[in-house]
C-alpha cells in the first residue's frame, strides 16, 4: 500500500459480510399528470373560460409545474389564465397546446403527405400523443389547426404558412 490509504478504507468494511444486504432499486411513485385536463381548459370558449372557479384555475397552475413540457410553455399557460384580450388568449393557447403534444414528431412523420390535406390531417391526428381521438371532430380540427399555426409561427417559412392556410380552407 501507499501512504496508509488502505487502512482507512478497510476499517469500514464488514469482513464477515453478514450485514451486507442486496441492493434493490425502489423507485418512488412518480405522479403522472393528465394533459387532457389542461387541453380541455385550453379549448374552452373564452366566455366559459372566464366563468370558471378561481380555485380550479389555481390547481391547474400548480399542476402545470409538474408536467414534462418546456418552461416557456408553462409560462405561456400562466399568462393564458390571466389573459383578457382575444389576441393574447389565442397566442398563449397555441404556444401551450403545441408543447402539450409531440408536435414536432407528428409533423415530421406526416412530412410528404401535405399534397393531400385530408391524408395529412388524418396522419397527424393518429400520431399525436396524447391521443385526441376522444375529442369531438370539431375539437380535433381545432387542435391540429392550432398546432399548424404555431408551427408556421415558429418556422417562419412559406411552406408551413401555406400548409396552415390550406388546412384552414380544408376545415
Amino acid at each position: 500500500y501507499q501512504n496508509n490509504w488502505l487502512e482507512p478504507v478497510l476499517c469500514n468494511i464488514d469482513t464477515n459480510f453478514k450485514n451486507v444486504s442486496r441492493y434493490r432499486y425502489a423507485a418512488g411513485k412518480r405522479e403522472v399528470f393528465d394533459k387532457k385536463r389542461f387541453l380541455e381548459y385550453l379549448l374552452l370558449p373564452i366566455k366559459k373560460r372566464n366563468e370558471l372557479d378561481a380555485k380550479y384555475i389555481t390547481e391547474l397552475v400548480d399542476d402545470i409545474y409538474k408536467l414534462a413540457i418546456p418552461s416557456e410553455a408553462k409560462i405561456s399557460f400562466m399568462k393564458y389564465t390571466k389573459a383578457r384580450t382575444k389576441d393574447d388568449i389565442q397566442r398563449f393557447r397555441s404556444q401551450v397546446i403545441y408543447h402539450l403534444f409531440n408536435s414536432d414528431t407528428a409533423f415530421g412523420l406526416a412530412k410528404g403527405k401535405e399534397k393531400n390535406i385530408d391524408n395529412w390531417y388524418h396522419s397527424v391526428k393518429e400520431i399525436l400523443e396524447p391521443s385526441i381521438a376522444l375529442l369531438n371532430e370539431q375539437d380535433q380540427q381545432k387542435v391540429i389547426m392550432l398546432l399548424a399555426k404555431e408551427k408556421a409561427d415558429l418556422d417562419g417559412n412559406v411552406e408551413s404558412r401555406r400548409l396552415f392556410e390550406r388546412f384552414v380552407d380544408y376545415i
Side-chain angles (χ1 to χ4, degrees):
Y1 64 94
Q2 185 178 10
N3 294 332
N4 281 337
W5 69 270
L6 195 56
E7 185 177 346
V9 173
L10 291 177
C11 72
N12 290 324
I13 296 175
D14 178 18
T15 56
N16 296 327
F17 298 104
K18 292 179 183 175
N19 296 329
V20 177
S21 59
R22 186 174 186 149
Y23 176 78
R24 292 182 193 212
Y25 176 73
K29 186 176 179 183
R30 200 171 110 184
E31 291 185 60
V32 177
F33 287 90
D34 190 12
K35 292 179 179 181
K36 291 177 185 168
R37 240 177 32 148
F38 298 97
L39 184 62
E40 288 171 357
Y41 173 67
L42 290 164
L43 293 177
L44 283 174
I46 295 171
K47 190 174 183 179
K48 286 186 180 182
R49 179 194 82 114
N50 293 337
E51 294 172 357
L52 287 176
D53 183 34
K55 183 180 176 186
Y56 176 74
I57 294 170
T58 302
E59 288 174 6
L60 284 174
V61 169
D62 290 344
D63 288 345
I64 196 76
Y65 292 111
K66 299 170 186 171
L67 277 181
I69 60 174
S71 296
E72 60 264 15
K74 294 174 184 178
I75 292 168
S76 293
F77 182 80
M78 290 182 279
K79 288 179 179 178
Y80 173 80
T81 62
K82 294 176 179 14
R84 295 292 167 229
T85 66
K86 187 175 181 179
D87 289 340
D88 286 344
I89 289 170
Q90 293 290 14
R91 183 171 35 114
F92 296 134
R93 177 188 291 159
S94 294
Q95 291 170 358
V96 176
I97 287 178
Y98 187 83
H99 292 290
L100 280 179
F101 293 95
N102 61 337
S103 304
D104 290 329
T105 304
F107 286 121
L109 292 173
K111 191 142 184 89
K113 298 179 182 181
E114 295 95 349
K115 290 180 183 175
N116 181 342
I117 199 73
D118 183 58
N119 190 18
W120 175 85
Y121 165 65
H122 289 292
S123 177
V124 170
K125 188 166 71 167
E126 289 174 13
I127 297 168
L128 285 178
E129 274 299 319
S131 176
I132 59 172
L134 296 177
L135 298 174
N136 63 45
E137 184 66 24
Q138 184 180 8
D139 283 346
Q140 290 177 10
Q141 290 173 348
K142 191 179 200 180
V143 166
I144 294 179
M145 182 191 65
L146 289 169
L147 295 176
K149 181 187 180 309
E150 187 65 20
K151 175 78 170 160
D153 291 345
L154 288 173
D155 287 351
N157 65 27
V158 178
E159 260 181 49
S160 297
R161 178 60 58 192
R162 282 188 191 143
L163 180 63
F164 168 67
E165 290 168 357
R166 287 181 49 224
F167 184 68
V168 169
D169 291 340
Y170 168 77
I171 56 173

